[in-house]
Amino acid sequence: MPRPSAGSHHGDKLHFKKGDTVIVLSGKHKGQTGKVLLALPRDQKVVVEGVNLVTKNVKPSPANPQGGQERRELALHASKVAIVDPETGKATRIRKTIVDGKKVRVAVASGKNID
């Protein structure tokens, strides 16, 4: 799949980091929560632990001489997930504010720090 042209990916920014707890907002996995395993800012996607699992056929290799099938997570578009508010456990948007000279992420709903 070809990459988008140079001006179409708006600075490659995501609101998510590896290790964030997120909830899926839409699709067949709606309502599931998990930790972000991988953030792909250029593609605007995230891989969430235990969400969007598929079965992959794996050839035998030196690391896995048996081969067979394995379950793995596929990436979801970043617009389908939201950060979980640390206070309420529900989806929230985030804002960035400066605290003690550092930029931190803050939950809009409760005002709690996410970082």
Side-chain angles (χ1 to χ4, degrees):
M1 184 149 103
R3 293 269 185 207
S5 62
S8 67
H9 43 81
H10 303 293
D12 294 336
K13 290 187 179 181
L14 275 184
H15 297 290
F16 310 104
K17 294 181 183 177
K18 183 177 176 179
D20 285 346
T21 303
V22 296
I23 187 166
V24 181
L25 300 175
S26 64
K28 66 181 180 179
H29 303 289
K30 181 177 179 176
Q32 291 184 1
T33 60
K35 286 200 182 299
V36 174
L37 298 175
L38 181 66
L40 305 165
R42 184 169 183 115
D43 298 327
Q44 293 290 302
K45 293 188 176 195
V46 290
V47 177
V48 182
E49 183 178 30
V51 177
N52 201 16
L53 291 170
V54 296
T55 303
K56 174 98 173 138
N57 291 321
V58 181
K59 285 186 176 181
S61 67
N64 181 7
Q66 179 91 28
Q69 294 182 333
E70 79 178 28
R71 302 276 288 163
R72 65 171 61 165
E73 297 92 352
L74 285 185
L76 289 167
H77 197 270
S79 65
K80 290 182 175 273
V81 297
I83 289 193
V84 173
D85 191 321
E87 188 172 284
T88 63
K90 295 182 179 178
T92 184
R93 293 171 297 143
I94 61 168
R95 82 168 49 98
K96 293 177 181 158
T97 58
I98 297 174
V99 177
D100 298 330
K102 286 190 168 186
K103 191 185 280 189
V104 296
R105 297 178 304 158
V106 176
V108 170
S110 66
K112 297 285 182 187
N113 279 358
I114 293 174
D115 289 331

